[in-house]
Amino acid sequence: MREPAFWYRPPSLLSRLLAPLGAIYGAITARRMSRAGASAGIPVLCVGNYHLGGAGKTPTTLALVKILRELGEQPFVVSRGYGGTQQGPLRVDPASHSAADVGDEPLMLASNVSVIVSRDRVAGASLARTSGASVVLLDDGFQNPALAKDASLIVIDAARGIGNGGVFPAGPLRAPVEPQVARTDALIVIGAGDAADQIAAVLAKRGAPVLRARLVPGQASVDALRGQRVLAFAGIGDPARFFATLRASGADVIEQRAFADHHPFTPDEIGRLVSDATAKTLKLVTTEKDMARIRSDARLKADADRIATFAVTLRFDDETALRDFVTARLAKARAINL
């Protein structure tokens, strides 16, 4: 779905009219979150967010993969596989699976780390463990109580925060903010802005780490696009951030086109984008997540080479603090399971 604009504006008449529905939805989700989960038998680190849509979970997951490997761990990602048809549990194979099978984010991650797709998180963690995982990175399972979590790291955008603070459909939150903050073990604030400062202050007062990070474009992408006139398109949670990052990297964004998160591009849509870029002598550019969907769709492969991919990584202001947090949580989880 495409995020309604009013979610990220001050509370409006529409958000107030939808608030009773949000109260019901939020109460149900908060009640579910209070349930005890099953043990995976190995440490489980959850990467989630408070709201619907994107905030930077995928680059955060990849940053954690790097740290865990440096610590000698064998991380596996367990994902619901949003947007895919496979129920799982199954191990994602980039050579044989498509985004339509397993979802775009798992497919993108699978080129860097072992990924298990499973609607049943407990079954997914079990397969990860028997496949050799020493640690499970639970992708976007914060509000799901099925699997016990040894640490929940919540990602939030510094500029957007939690929007109008309403619970879906009145706002972007998946549950009331208080019970979600209460279950947060570390907060990762991405980008510049003060929209997350209030939540960060609450967590800091509790002694929870508040880690600042920013998305850094890959040097190859910057070099390829600096000074280029581009037509940028994206079907992600926050396309505006992608367009802004492109501009900040030196690309001359002449046109930008936003689609809904996880949008399944059709041959006509990609053909039109290619045609428009060619007619206006613009370089066509999209995100890694969008490219995962495009390259894995046999109908779109012919045009994939005409589209540039803009790669980004997450850089922490204090990576040592994140490493120390992860190390302590792994030790605590293993002490409990002895």
Side-chain angles (χ1 to χ4, degrees):
M1 62 171 286
R2 191 187 296 273
E3 294 178 348
F6 75 86
W7 280 2
Y8 289 93
R9 294 173 181 164
S12 63
L13 175 60
L14 181 55
S15 64
R16 292 187 180 96
L17 290 173
L18 292 171
L21 291 176
I24 295 170
Y25 182 92
I28 293 171
T29 305
R31 191 177 303 118
R32 287 180 68 242
M33 290 178 68
S34 67
R35 299 175 191 166
S39 172
I42 55 177
V44 175
L45 305 180
C46 173
V47 180
N49 56 10
Y50 297 136
H51 55 81
L52 298 164
K57 293 189 301 296
T58 299
T60 299
T61 299
L62 289 171
L64 286 168
V65 166
K66 173 179 173 289
I67 287 173
L68 287 166
R69 284 176 173 160
E70 291 170 352
L71 293 172
E73 302 289 346
Q74 181 62 42
F76 272 55
V77 173
V78 172
S79 171
R80 177 180 176 273
Y82 182 84
T85 59
Q86 294 295 320
Q87 298 290 311
L90 62 85
R91 189 166 178 170
V92 177
D93 179 3
S96 61
H97 289 129
S98 69
D101 296 325
V102 297
D104 51 11
E105 289 167 354
L107 187 65
M108 175 184 159
L109 286 166
S111 63
N112 294 279
V113 62
S114 296
V115 179
I116 304 293
V117 160
S118 182
R119 297 292 194 267
D120 182 335
R121 263 71 168 216
V122 177
S126 178
L127 178 57
R129 183 182 182 186
T130 58
S131 298
S134 66
V135 178
V136 164
L137 285 172
L138 185 60
D139 174 39
D140 200 22
F142 180 57
Q143 290 82 12
N144 187 298
L147 193 62
K149 306 164 185 69
D150 294 292
S152 290
L153 298 92
I154 300 304
V155 181
I156 191 167
D157 185 89
R160 303 208 307 167
I162 57 171
N164 64 11
V167 177
F168 177 84
L173 290 176
R174 303 185 190 200
V177 68
E178 291 82 3
Q180 296 200 84
V181 170
R183 289 171 174 78
T184 300
D185 298 300
L187 188 71
I188 298 172
V189 183
I190 298 180
D194 59 6
D197 286 1
Q198 187 173 352
I199 290 174
V202 171
L203 286 164
K205 187 175 182 180
R206 274 182 30 204
V210 175
L211 305 163
R212 303 276 172 173
R214 61 193 185 281
L215 291 169
V216 178
Q219 192 59 49
S221 293
V222 172
D223 292 343
L225 295 172
R226 185 184 289 116
Q228 296 283 328
R229 301 171 71 252
V230 307
L231 190 166
F233 70 98
I236 59 175
D238 186 8
R241 181 170 61 183
F242 167 60
F243 302 142
T245 304
L246 267 177
R247 289 190 174 92
S249 300
D252 185 7
V253 182
I254 303 300
E255 288 192 31
Q256 58 189 49
R257 299 184 190 176
F259 297 83
D261 197 12
H262 306 285
H263 178 74
F265 293 104
T266 66
D268 283 347
E269 287 171 333
I270 295 299
R272 191 175 307 116
L273 286 163
V274 170
S275 177
D276 289 350
T278 301
K280 299 173 183 178
T281 321
L282 304 177
K283 195 172 186 66
L284 196 57
V285 185
T286 195
T287 70
E288 291 179 287
K289 191 170 85 167
D290 289 298
M291 187 55 81
R293 296 199 301 281
I294 292 167
R295 286 201 182 280
S296 68
D297 189 330
R299 304 169 305 161
L300 309 178
K301 278 185 177 179
D303 286 321
D305 290 340
R306 303 183 185 187
I307 306 169
T309 305
F310 189 73
V312 297
T313 57
L314 192 64
R315 185 175 297 169
F316 286 85
D317 292 354
D318 187 355
E319 188 172 301
T320 300
L322 176 60
R323 187 188 306 273
D324 291 346
F325 171 80
V326 169
T327 300
R329 287 295 172 144
L330 293 179
K332 182 179 179 181
R334 287 176 174 135
I336 291 171
N337 289 324
L338 286 178

